[in-house]
Amino acid sequence: MKHIPVLLNAVINALGDIQGKKIVDATFGAGGYSRAFLESGAEVVAFDRDPNVISDAENLKKEFPDKFDLIPKPFSNISELTEQFDAIVFDLGISSMQIDIPERGFSFRADGPLDMRMSEAGDSAADLIEKLSVEDLAKILRNYGDVKKAGVLANAMKNAKPKTTLELKSLIYSPKDVAPVFQALRIAVNDEMGELERALNSVPDLLKVGGKCICVTFHSLEDRIVKNTFKQWTSPVGDPRLPIVEEARFKSVKTEVPTEEELNVNPRARSAHMRGVIKSY
Ligand SMILES: C[S@@+](CC[C@H](N)C(=O)[O-])C[C@H]1O[C@@H](n2cnc3c(N)ncnc32)[C@H](O)[C@@H]1O
């Protein structure tokens, strides 16, 4: 299934008039956001670490020559950008194309190699299970999936060394743990939390004054990182009990979740949250 952009209207509303503005789309995916920004008159620099998006990006480049570019790298590489932007937008997680292709190994609904690498490079989920100790594997299951009895499952995984999605699924005793276990491994394989933290660290200096950072998250762990980072940016700097306190560098933009209408059309938008901030100085 082609990816249906999530919370696109909310993102567009939060950005306001973007005619002639320069935007980073940190997560190109199927290009739904990039296209909407370009059609509203913006220039876009996009990132995506999945090499499968390159052909869609090349087509978009033909349609909008000189207005669009894709950097096929992890978005933590925004730190290497040398100019400032009017907006930096993250639509986190995986795309429908990634989840729907069994060979990518993201889905527990179809059999495929236990891969889960967005970039198709580095260690796959099967490699991680081979390499990590039972303790480290259990930590991943606990921290990224809130899996109960993580030690028992980690032990079973180390013994069985699953190589396919359904082999892994067959080891998970409780059906309600299946999705969290797959999510936990995916987060670890793709270092999703580290990527997000590193990228957000670069955002304040990369935004122009009046520039906005908008994040759409899909699970509580990434939402917590975004919420806490934005809270820090929107809080006055210094000890409030002392006379010299610097005004916060950012102000919040409204938080949004999908409407019932959007969820009817796109149930995959279910857990999405949009948060945004605007740079004041
Ligand atoms: C939810 S999709 C984005 C969909 C896009 N907004 C659209 O409208 O088509 C997320 C995309 O971000 C990419 N991605 C996730 N984490 C990334 C990272 N750290 N660096 C680069 N790309 C990443 C994934 O490969 C995926 O293609």
Side-chain angles (χ1 to χ4, degrees), residues 3-6 8 25-34 47-50 53 71 73-76 90-98 104 118-119 190-192 195-196 218:
H3 185 87
I4 306 172
V6 173
L8 178 58
D25 176 359
T27 50
F28 179 76
Y33 278 24
S34 279
F47 283 81
D48 205 299
R49 59 178 162 185
D50 187 340
V53 310
I71 302 178
K73 290 184 181 175
F75 57 52
S76 56
F90 297 84
D91 177 21
L92 297 162
I94 50 175
S95 67
S96 297
M97 294 83 69
Q98 289 166 331
R104 302 295 306 264
M118 292 182 193
S119 64
N190 296 289
D191 184 21
E192 292 182 32
E195 267 293 307
L196 181 57
F218 288 86

Side-chain angles (χ1 to χ4, degrees), residues 122-187:
D123 285 339
S124 66
D127 295 336
L128 271 197
I129 294 170
E130 286 262 356
K131 283 187 178 176
L132 293 177
S133 64
V134 171
E135 290 70 33
D136 287 344
L137 204 49
K139 215 184 277 173
I140 285 172
L141 299 176
R142 208 174 293 120
N143 293 352
Y144 296 156
D146 202 15
V147 176
K148 310 285 175 267
K149 300 195 178 151
V152 176
L153 179 57
N155 213 9
M157 284 159 73
K158 285 296 291 181
N159 286 333
K161 298 187 176 45
K163 294 284 178 275
T164 69
T165 49
L166 293 191
E167 279 172 22
L168 171 62
K169 190 178 174 185
S170 72
L171 300 174
I172 306 168
Y173 182 71
S174 163
K176 72 174 183 6
D177 278 344
V178 171
V181 167
F182 273 69
Q183 172 185 289
L185 281 175
R186 192 198 89 200
I187 291 173

Side-chain angles (χ1 to χ4, degrees), residues 67-82:
K67 300 275 184 210
F68 173 75
D69 226 336
L70 174 83
I71 302 178
K73 290 184 181 175
F75 57 52
S76 56
N77 287 275
I78 58 171
S79 59
E80 287 165 19
L81 294 170
T82 52

Side-chain angles (χ1 to χ4, degrees), residues 29 63 84 108 125:
E63 259 185 81
Q84 286 189 309
F108 51 80

